[in-house]
Each structure stands twice: as C-alpha cells, then as structure tokens.
Amino acid sequence: MSLLPSASVKARGSSGQYTRAEAPLMLITAKESQLTWSGRTLAAVVKDALKNIGAPVISVEMRHDESLGLYAVALLDCDAGEALRRWPEIADVARELEIPIFVAWTRGGEVPPEEAGAYVGRVLAKMGVFLATRGSVDVLKALREERG
C-alpha cells in the first residue's frame, strides 16, 4: 500500500497555518528521522493528528514508493473491521496533511472481500490516490474470459 505523486508534504505549524516542506526524492527513505518539522518527525505529526480524532494508533511509519511518493502506515490497536470503519475518518486527516495514510491492525477479524473493497475504493478516492497498472490491460479480453 503505497501512494502519493510527489515528495511534497504539508505539516500544520504551531500557528495553525500550513507550512510546506519539500525534499528531493533521493533523500526520502523509510527512516522517519530524516523528515522533521520544528524538531518533530512527520510520523509524530501524523500520530498526534490520528490520536486527536480518537484513532487507537500505536505507531506510524513513514514510507516512500517510487511511483506514489511519501505515505504513512498507521498501526491501529483494533481488528480489521474497526480499522476499515475508522479509515474514512483517517483519510480526512490524510487529505489535510496531504499524505496518504494506510492502516494496519493488531488483531484478526474477517471482513468480506466486497466490504473491504468498498472501503478501499472510497478511501483511496477520498485521499486522491488512484490505482494504476505497470503494463497495459486488455479489458475486453478480461471480460470475455470472465464471462466464459
């Protein structure tokens, strides 16, 4: 789960206004210590924002993907169903910070694939993340194969 078009991110400053911090892609790694604002890591900014909305966040890890850019993975202390139900509200925080935030959970729990897919589709759209394939896809061929 990795998604964002650039390494440009916003963090809310102490004045409540946004400040833009940009870093060359080559400097962004999974090490959150390289991403700081006023002495706070970006992971800490994201974690505090999630705690402010009542999310049971344990940790936040910043990651980077070549095609999507910088994003966060928030580990929530809950099961899969609760994590998916909370994700749309977390996506609001993601939009505000301009960093996609994905969720992981600590406990099991099964969610029907249709329900999980619906959450994923809504949340990705809410965060402005769009799916892409590495190669071309012949949709007509796929439909013919599916229908037999």
Side-chain angles (χ1 to χ4, degrees):
M1 295 191 290
S2 50
L3 314 155
L4 189 72
S6 74
S8 226
V9 296
K10 280 187 178 178
R12 189 175 289 251
S14 58
S15 67
Q17 298 298 312
Y18 288 106
T19 56
R20 182 166 294 280
E22 298 189 17
L25 291 178
M26 67 185 84
L27 296 179
I28 295 179
T29 69
K31 293 183 179 181
E32 66 186 71
S33 61
Q34 294 181 354
L35 303 167
T36 61
W37 285 269
S38 301
R40 295 181 64 216
T41 65
L42 178 56
V45 170
V46 172
K47 184 176 181 180
D48 287 348
L50 296 182
K51 283 185 174 186
N52 285 340
I53 63 167
V57 63
I58 294 172
S59 65
V60 172
E61 181 181 327
M62 301 310 301
R63 297 183 185 175
H64 182 269
D65 178 86
E66 181 181 308
S67 62
L68 302 166
L70 184 67
Y71 66 100
V73 177
L75 178 62
L76 305 180
D77 187 19
C78 61
D79 64 20
E82 183 180 349
L84 288 175
R85 286 188 295 278
R86 287 182 174 274
W87 201 13
E89 186 176 12
I90 289 170
D92 291 335
V93 172
R95 284 178 51 145
E96 189 174 320
L97 295 175
E98 294 187 4
I99 302 166
I101 302 172
F102 296 90
V103 294
W105 46 89
T106 56
R107 291 181 241 137
E110 293 194 21
V111 177
E114 300 82 13
E115 183 181 342
Y119 274 107
V120 169
R122 282 194 305 270
V123 170
L124 292 181
K126 198 174 204 181
M127 291 190 298
V129 172
F130 304 97
L131 300 178
T133 61
R134 297 214 185 265
S136 63
V137 175
D138 185 341
V139 176
L140 292 176
K141 179 181 175 187
L143 287 172
R144 283 189 209 107
E145 289 174 358
E146 182 68 27
R147 293 180 180 164

